[in-house]
Amino acid sequence: MNASQRAAVEHERGPLLVLAGAGSGKTRVITQRIARLVERGVAPEAILAVSFTNKAAGEMGERMVPLVGAEAAGRLVLSTFHSFGVRLLTEEKEAVGLGRFVVFDQGDSLGVVREVMHRLRRSAASRRLDPAAVHARISLWKNRFLGPEEVPETDLEYDSVARDVFPRYEAALRAMCAVDFDDLVDLPVELLKREPAIREKWRTRFRHVLVDEFQDTNRAQLELVRLLANDDRNVCVVGDDDQAIYGWRGADVSNILDFTRHFPGAQVVKLEDNYRSRAPILAVANAAIAAGGSRRHGKELRSARGPGDRVSIVTVETPDDEARFVAREIGALHGAGARYADVAVLYRGSLQARPVEEELRAAGIPYQLFGGTRLFDRKEVKDATAYLRVVANPKDEISLRRILNYPARGIGEATVERVERKARSARVPFVEALRRIDGDAEVPDGARRGVQRFFEVVERARGRFRGGAALAVAARSLLQEVGLRAALEDVADGGASGVRRWENVESLLRSIERYERTGRSEKPSIGAFLAGLALRAAEDDDAQEGVGNQVTLSTLHAAKGLEFGVVFLIGCVEGQLPHVRTTDPKVTDAGPTDVEEERRLFYVGVTRARDRLLLTRARRRALRGKEAAIAPSRFLEGLPESQIEVIEDKASSPLCTGELAERTRAFLERLGGGGNREKS
């Protein structure tokens, strides 16, 4: 370890802020610090380390095994904020007043918002509003501890609709014994503030609290950390304000900027030695981030890997030419000996990937697209999960409505609407109104029989789960009984797509088997499995695991935390990076981020590159049928001239090698025929 890393590891008592620049080895610092605490006699179970994704928590656990041993590593509390919230709410369910509860993932929560908006039946203009934007506002308000009655009035239509939806959304969650992701932090904070004895219990339990990626915390998460801090205030946070890029979803960069105010007397350690990137790349990164006008902790990244090729700024005529250029140069890289897996194409918005995809396919270059549909987001898996959720929680109206007539059992929309009216007039949950349908003469016989069969299947499944049957076996029996596999094959006419869809369901069943086999829970339950599934869907990285030797296409947000030998950062023009939302006051949507956050996003993209960085832009594009000039991104201004090369690429043929391809060959020869794949 270098001197700064060692200082962070050896710090003994009191608050500590570790400012970890990109590629500075922060994960090593966190794991070594935990190992040092255990070595000094701190019980592993008295150490709480919080990260933002299950993947990061899992990797931290794996790294701890060789440092402290498998037994001690298993006793460490390595968690995410949301997983910790589930732990606390489950243990303190009587004090919270929740009883048994289900965790709604983002899709479920959005479904509740959509249903509430439908019931409000506001003006035609309001019905065209995006439910996701309404939900985003409610989430931001909850993270700021604003109740429905505390939200300030504004003239914005989205705010007005969200204010009307908010109390009904909260009431709907409680009626379904459900909590959303914001509740998993907000409710523990409210409890710890309200109950001094419970607060003292949890503060005593953990002697040390460590938080990774602290720049991504919101106000509620900061408050939870403050409440868990004991009298010694042994709170260590690690982060980088220059990589704070999630303001649009509630993260507050002031948490890390004002850490010493929140925790007076905190020691500050800066990690500025970068073990990832060559010096020219870091020179560009340092210049770009320093040119901003926002408050930041001063840091200057230094390359531990020494000099390298200058950063290329490439100008082409159109976005299509930009895509052709990228495909051509990737082909040249591969022809010179580079692995496709060492190359990434990064961009601000997902639509920018389309022309690049087309060119890569035409050139026969394999690629993977980060941010695609994940397994547990696929329709067939969501359908199967909905059956399990209804078995675990009969009041889960969102899941109930999803599978009430799937596979088809004769329950049409007219019947569902009638049940809704009955539920509203009788002021009972949807499921209770549905159970009363048998005595309603206006409901067709086929629909009544369908509802009866549905409840019979659910009750039999509930009995199997409660009767001690293996969870995966009980789940498989349920899905077979409702005919899910046959429905998938019917839609696909028995073809390969039906087989693939059922295989996705089989993956869900295998996940249940793994949970039973390896889960830490003393008594595995389908409810606990589903809660973990919802958390994993929300907390896992946007980026997915790479498969094989493929070029990576990724948004800048999804690429955070990754690194590649060669990076093409495309679309370096005004309107894309920075995004038009942050620069054009006429553009309104779910909540604009500021230009300085866009600058930090550019910085994140630059620092993904280890050996070569190419920043590309087009001069013009088609706009409403006419050619329009595009200004270069303001983030390209003021970069150190000695560390960049400007390339005018006028070639349009994918077969053209170009000046850059020749330079690439020379670059790879110096590396010994392949990209540097060293991990920091």
Side-chain angles (χ1 to χ4, degrees), residues 308-519:
D309 275 34
R310 291 177 295 169
V311 172
S312 300
I313 299 180
V314 183
T315 303
V316 297
E317 286 301 311
T318 69
D320 287 340
D321 292 331
E322 188 175 35
R324 281 191 285 270
F325 167 81
V326 169
R328 185 182 76 224
E329 300 308 328
I330 292 175
L333 281 164
H334 185 256
R339 297 174 68 246
Y340 287 131
D342 285 331
V343 182
V345 183
L346 308 182
Y347 36 83
R348 175 64 176 85
S350 56
L351 291 179
Q352 293 172 256
R354 290 182 180 177
V356 177
E357 283 191 82
E358 293 172 5
E359 292 298 333
L360 293 180
R361 282 197 299 267
I365 296 174
Y367 66 90
Q368 59 181 339
L369 190 68
F370 280 5
T373 303
R374 294 175 292 194
L375 172 67
F376 295 108
D377 289 333
R378 297 185 184 278
K379 179 186 181 301
E380 58 272 17
V381 178
K382 295 283 280 186
D383 291 335
T385 304
Y387 271 102
L388 299 175
R389 294 178 68 154
V390 169
V391 169
N393 177 20
K395 294 183 179 180
D396 185 345
E397 180 181 336
I398 299 301
S399 296
L400 175 61
R401 291 165 66 93
R402 181 184 185 101
I403 43 90
L404 181 59
N405 196 43
Y406 181 77
R409 50 180 63 92
I411 308 170
E413 283 298 316
T415 298
V416 173
E417 290 177 4
R418 181 167 181 79
V419 173
E420 287 177 349
R421 291 194 297 272
K422 290 280 188 180
R424 286 196 296 270
S425 63
R427 297 182 180 275
V428 297
F430 179 84
V431 64
E432 183 59 33
L434 190 62
R435 289 184 183 278
R436 300 177 184 178
I437 199 176
D438 196 44
D440 192 336
E442 295 186 29
V443 175
D445 291 342
R448 287 205 298 271
R449 287 194 296 271
V451 170
Q452 182 180 5
R453 289 196 303 272
F454 174 80
F455 280 122
E456 288 173 352
V457 169
V458 169
E459 288 303 323
R460 281 195 293 272
R462 192 168 290 138
R464 285 191 290 267
F465 281 115
R466 288 176 176 171
L471 299 183
V473 172
R476 184 181 296 278
S477 297
L478 168 63
L479 300 181
Q480 287 176 343
E481 191 170 356
V482 301
L484 184 59
R485 182 171 189 171
L488 293 173
E489 292 177 347
D490 285 346
V491 171
D493 294 326
S497 64
V499 174
R500 284 196 301 271
R501 291 175 184 176
W502 179 251
E503 179 56 34
N504 290 333
V505 176
E506 288 283 358
S507 296
L508 171 66
L509 296 172
R510 287 193 292 272
S511 292
I512 299 175
E513 291 175 349
R514 284 194 299 272
Y515 161 74
E516 286 186 281
R517 188 171 61 250
T518 63

Side-chain angles (χ1 to χ4, degrees), residues 104-182:
F104 271 13
D105 64 18
Q106 293 294 92
D108 300 321
S109 300
L110 188 57
V112 177
V113 169
R114 187 178 290 111
E115 182 63 23
V116 171
M117 291 177 67
H118 173 71
R119 290 176 182 175
L120 282 175
R121 297 186 181 280
R122 294 175 62 93
S123 66
S126 297
R127 288 198 293 272
R128 289 196 298 270
L129 297 184
D130 180 13
V134 173
H135 179 254
R137 278 166 166 72
I138 293 173
S139 178
L140 289 173
W141 291 334
K142 292 180 73 168
N143 286 326
R144 294 168 185 162
F145 301 111
L146 294 176
E149 70 286 349
E150 298 170 309
V151 175
E153 293 189 28
T154 71
D155 294 331
L156 297 176
E157 187 175 24
Y158 265 112
D159 286 349
S160 176
V161 171
R163 288 180 73 254
D164 287 347
V165 170
F166 193 0
R168 295 168 174 84
Y169 168 77
E170 292 288 275
L173 288 180
R174 299 302 170 256
M176 291 184 273
C177 298
V179 295
D180 63 16
F181 288 123
D182 299 316

